[in-house]
Amino acid sequence: VSVLAPLPGSVQHLSKSVPEDEWFLVRQAALEHLPDSQQARAWFEQALKDRAPVVRASAIAALTRVGAAQSWPQIQPLLDNAEEYPEVLASGVAFARALCLQAADPSLRKLVTRGIQPDAWHADQELALSALETLSAFGGASARWARDHAIGPSVPKEVQLAAAAAAQRPAACQRPRSN
């Protein structure tokens, strides 16, 4: 897949067999190596429904790589799913951060709220930290919300320290996009 993907016409050829391949690493490799095209973007979006979390995470990473901000409506349900795997959620947060996608603000706030609970799972704490950093990068109301919610007795100390540091940095998103 990595050899064929960059070749002209590869998307048509690979799209016939790779999405149904039983080995998730083959599906993941295609997402990582296909060059940007309209047909490849459609494939990336379709892979958001793959049965393997690593493939869903790779699909989000591919959409990030090609700057497909318009794919947010297909990614948002994954971020809003409390049962989704941490690697998929982390890719979704990275997508929002890389594309300065302020439309992700509500989903990021949900991740923060879940991860700052006193009994939060370690993976949820890490996602909360990443979401707080992303909200801080957005600046404005998002950054203020992040700062205000990263303090308190129920917030894990690691999250408090990292969010306080992120709040001190200037907004990283110079041209925020809403969609």
Side-chain angles (χ1 to χ4, degrees):
V1 170
S2 63
V3 171
L4 294 175
L7 298 176
S10 63
V11 175
Q12 283 184 335
H13 177 70
L14 294 172
S15 68
K16 293 177 183 172
S17 57
V18 173
E20 300 305 319
D21 196 287
E22 290 184 27
W23 201 24
F24 72 90
L25 291 175
V26 173
R27 300 189 311 272
Q28 179 186 26
L31 297 170
E32 292 174 349
H33 295 287
L34 284 172
D36 190 14
S37 72
Q38 194 64 26
Q39 192 174 10
R41 286 182 186 216
W43 186 346
F44 300 160
E45 287 183 355
Q46 186 62 34
L48 294 170
K49 299 173 187 168
D50 195 277
R51 64 189 176 277
V54 69
V55 175
R56 293 191 301 275
S58 292
I60 296 171
L63 290 164
T64 303
R65 175 174 45 87
V66 300
Q70 70 279 6
S71 296
W72 171 245
Q74 288 79 33
I75 295 171
Q76 182 179 6
L78 298 175
L79 236 60
D80 290 343
N81 180 356
E83 301 297 318
E84 186 56 84
Y85 285 79
E87 63 263 37
V88 177
L89 297 172
S91 286
V93 173
F95 177 87
R97 174 82 183 255
L99 302 179
C100 294
L101 198 65
Q102 290 190 343
D105 185 293
S107 298
L108 295 170
R109 289 182 186 202
K110 288 178 193 174
L111 288 174
V112 169
T113 301
R114 188 168 81 202
I116 62 174
Q117 301 305 311
D119 59 345
W121 183 36
H122 182 70
D124 285 337
Q125 290 179 16
E126 289 178 356
L127 286 164
L129 173 57
S130 183
L132 283 167
E133 289 174 346
T134 300
L135 289 165
S136 295
F138 290 167
S142 298
R144 287 190 296 278
W145 187 93
R147 180 196 61 220
D148 294 346
H149 285 79
I151 56 174
S154 66
V155 180
K157 195 64 163 171
E158 301 83 22
V159 174
Q160 287 184 36
L161 294 172
Q168 297 300 317
R169 293 189 294 272
C173 291
Q174 300 302 318
R175 288 181 234 144
R177 298 180 217 167
S178 61
N179 235 332

